[in-house]
């Protein structure tokens, strides 16, 4: 059983960057969003961030992937995203 912990981004490469860059309007990726994805690619927490975003229904850029990219990954990996809850751990 894989345990996915609630996301805590403190110390991640995105820490302190304007959050609006991670949430493009209507999922349309801009040049600014492309730069943000590059920041994600160099982040120590990228894998954990992407894993969280694949398992939970979040929008925006997480782990260097957009909402649409994660939707495609979920289909390939047969993952059904769960709604975010107040649970400490979700199995």
């Amino acid at each position: 059983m894989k345990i996915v912990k609630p996301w805590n981004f403190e110390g991640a490469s995105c820490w302190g960057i304007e959050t609006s860059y991670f949430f493009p309007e209507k999922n349309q990726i801009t040049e600014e969003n492309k730069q943000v994805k590059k920041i994600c690619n160099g982040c120590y927490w990228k894998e954990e961030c992407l894993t969280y975003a694949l398992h939970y229904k979040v929008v925006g850029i997480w782990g260097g992937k957009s909402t649409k990219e994660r939707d495609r990954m979920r289909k390939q990996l047969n993952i059904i995203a769960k709604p975010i809850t107040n649970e400490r751990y979700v199995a």
Side-chain angles (χ1 to χ4, degrees):
M1 173 174 64
K2 181 178 177 94
I3 296 180
V4 179
K5 298 178 182 179
W7 176 240
N8 177 0
F9 58 91
E10 187 172 348
S13 295
C14 61
W15 188 257
I17 296 176
E18 174 60 45
T19 56
S20 64
Y21 296 132
F22 293 90
F23 301 97
E25 287 187 37
K26 299 179 184 176
N27 289 320
Q28 295 191 7
I29 302 297
T30 65
E31 283 303 315
E32 289 172 333
N33 302 127
K34 288 178 184 177
Q35 294 300 316
V36 167
K37 289 174 85 170
K38 287 181 183 178
I39 291 169
C40 293
N41 288 334
C43 183
Y44 176 82
W45 296 107
K46 179 184 175 185
E47 187 177 329
E48 182 177 353
C49 180
L50 180 57
T51 298
Y52 176 83
L54 286 170
H55 287 87
Y56 291 93
K57 292 182 181 179
V58 295
V59 297
I61 299 168
W62 290 75
K65 302 292 183 189
S66 68
T67 303
K68 288 181 182 181
E69 290 169 322
R70 288 192 312 278
D71 287 343
R72 287 191 293 270
M73 290 177 74
R74 282 188 198 104
K75 285 181 184 177
Q76 292 173 338
L77 299 169
N78 198 27
I79 295 172
I80 298 172
K82 300 172 186 169
I84 297 174
T85 67
N86 289 330
E87 296 175 32
R88 178 87 176 134
Y89 298 96
V90 177

